[in-house]
Amino acid sequence: MNMLFEYLLRPEIFILILAIVILKKSIIFVPQNQAYLIERFGKYQSTREAGLNFLIPFIDHIGADRSLKEQAVDVPSQSAITRDNISLSVDGVLYFRVLDPYKASYGVDDYVFAVTQLAQTTMRSELGKMELDKTFEERDVLNTNIVASINEASGPWGIQVLRYEIKDIVPPQSIMEAMEAQMKAERVKRAQILESEGDRQAAINVAEGQKRAVVLKAEADKEERVLRAEGEAQAIVAVALAQAEALHKVGEAANTEEGQKAIQLDLATRAIAAKAAIAKESSVVLLPDSSNDAASIVAQAMTIINSLNKG
């Protein structure tokens, strides 16, 4: 041990050890996204950023180490009263980062605690401006207002609040029961409205369907009558044309000698058939005075036809 102590006390060894200590004290490596605040004789001297930096040994020292990364801080649950005098329990998360390490170190004692307390008081203040229903509907607006208010107050501390997110808004149990009853009533109301609208639309559809059916039936009846009338008219025309054609052909045939004979034969046959029918129906038969009664009837008929043809 004495030999080791004597060895260390040798001048060259002592100077080497002293040089190593001085070199270690004069060189510092600052990590990325961090800042070291250097103090000289207890007074702020400079801010050293990421990389290799040199100090004056035993005179300069690191007074504070500040992270420049974005930080997330949980804001504890607290009570707040809304504009309509409803007490709420609210908590959230605050996201911020250090912009000025000097202000964050010398402008406030504990910037994390300070910005958290500021977030709580600002949140209570903003909730006091809103009614209960709005706190649930306009949560994004509430978060934006809280961030703007905190940034306005935290400027001297070198802190920038990036965003604030409300995690939970818990109203009292009685308010929750009333809200559930209100939502249930709203759901029942919407269901009844939808049901009545469905019934109304169904009734309208049925009425329109019946109306359409009546119209279609009337149109079908009308078309049927029109078609029947057209058919009957066409049948009458066809019968009249056929009769006209038959009469025309009979007239043409009657102008010939053979036609005259045929007409005489037909008339004689019809006369005999008529007398036979009368004899069957009556027990008394009247005979004509002249024996050539049929011939006289035929002659009379021919006279009438000849007069018609001449006219």
Side-chain angles (χ1 to χ4, degrees):
M1 179 66 72
N2 291 333
M3 292 179 62
L4 179 61
F5 184 72
E6 290 177 357
Y7 178 77
L8 294 176
L9 289 178
R10 293 174 59 182
E12 60 274 15
I13 300 300
F14 178 77
I15 292 172
L16 178 61
I17 294 174
L18 181 61
I20 293 173
V21 172
I22 292 173
L23 183 63
K24 186 177 183 304
K25 288 286 186 180
S26 62
I27 297 177
I28 58 172
F29 294 94
V30 181
Q32 185 67 31
N33 284 333
Q34 281 191 262
Y36 288 172
L37 278 75
I38 306 302
E39 294 180 351
R40 181 172 296 171
F41 298 113
K43 184 179 179 181
Y44 171 77
Q45 193 272 330
S46 62
T47 300
R48 306 296 175 88
E49 297 181 352
L52 175 64
N53 292 272
F54 296 95
L55 303 178
I56 299 176
F58 308 105
I59 297 177
D60 296 340
H61 73 281
I62 300 174
D65 177 7
R66 295 289 176 251
S67 174
L68 303 180
K69 300 177 184 178
E70 182 177 344
Q71 303 178 50
V73 177
D74 182 65
V75 179
S77 178
Q78 61 177 328
S79 178
I81 300 177
T82 62
R83 185 178 179 182
D84 48 354
N85 295 324
I86 303 298
S87 179
L88 302 176
S89 178
V90 187
D91 61 353
V93 180
L94 184 67
Y95 298 87
F96 68 92
R97 65 189 181 94
V98 176
L99 287 181
D100 190 337
Y102 175 82
K103 291 182 180 180
S105 300
Y106 300 104
V108 63
D109 183 52
D110 186 348
Y111 66 88
V112 176
F113 175 78
V115 77
T116 303
Q117 295 300 312
L118 182 58
Q120 288 182 316
T121 56
T122 305
M123 182 168 56
R124 284 196 298 268
S125 176
E126 291 296 328
L127 284 173
K129 301 176 184 178
M130 304 177 68
E131 296 182 354
L132 177 62
D133 295 339
K134 296 296 183 180
T135 59
F136 296 100
E137 298 174 2
E138 301 181 2
R139 184 173 296 191
D140 292 339
V141 177
L142 181 60
N143 292 338
T144 303
N145 293 339
I146 292 174
V147 169
S149 299
I150 296 175
N151 280 330
E152 184 178 353
S154 63
W157 303 339
I159 305 298
Q160 180 188 21
V161 177
L162 302 176
R163 60 188 181 277
Y164 181 85
E165 298 291 340
I166 295 177
K167 292 195 296 184
D168 292 314
I169 299 178
V170 182
Q173 186 64 28
S174 59
I175 300 299
M176 291 184 65
E177 293 175 356
M179 292 174 65
E180 290 178 359
Q182 181 181 1
M183 287 187 292
K184 182 179 179 181
E186 287 292 334
R187 287 194 296 269
V188 172
K189 177 183 176 182
R190 287 197 296 268
Q192 292 175 347
I193 291 174
L194 290 175
E195 184 178 0
S196 63
E197 287 292 334
D199 295 340
R200 173 176 172 271
Q201 189 62 40
I204 291 173
N205 291 339
V206 170
E208 289 181 350
Q210 293 176 349
K211 175 183 176 182
R212 185 63 179 168
V214 171
V215 172
L216 292 176
K217 187 175 183 302
E219 291 179 352
D221 293 341
K222 176 182 175 182
E223 291 179 0
E224 182 182 0
R225 289 194 298 270
V226 170
L227 292 175
R228 186 183 299 114
E230 290 178 353
E232 292 175 354
Q234 291 176 0
I236 292 171
V237 172
V239 171
L241 291 175
Q243 291 177 350
E245 182 68 21
L247 292 174
H248 179 70
K249 289 182 177 181
V250 169
E252 289 180 352
N255 289 328
T256 62
E257 183 178 355
E258 290 80 4
Q260 294 292 327
K261 293 179 179 180
I263 291 174
Q264 292 175 4
L265 177 62
D266 182 65
L267 290 175
T269 303
R270 290 185 181 184
I272 295 170
K275 290 182 179 295
I278 293 172
K280 288 181 181 180
E281 296 293 334
S282 176
S283 59
V284 180
V285 178
L286 298 177
L287 296 174
D289 294 336
S290 60
S291 58
N292 58 346
D293 183 68
S296 63
I297 294 174
V298 172
Q300 293 175 2
M302 290 303 300
T303 304
I304 295 172
I305 293 173
N306 290 330
S307 64
L308 290 174
N309 289 332
K310 292 178 180 181

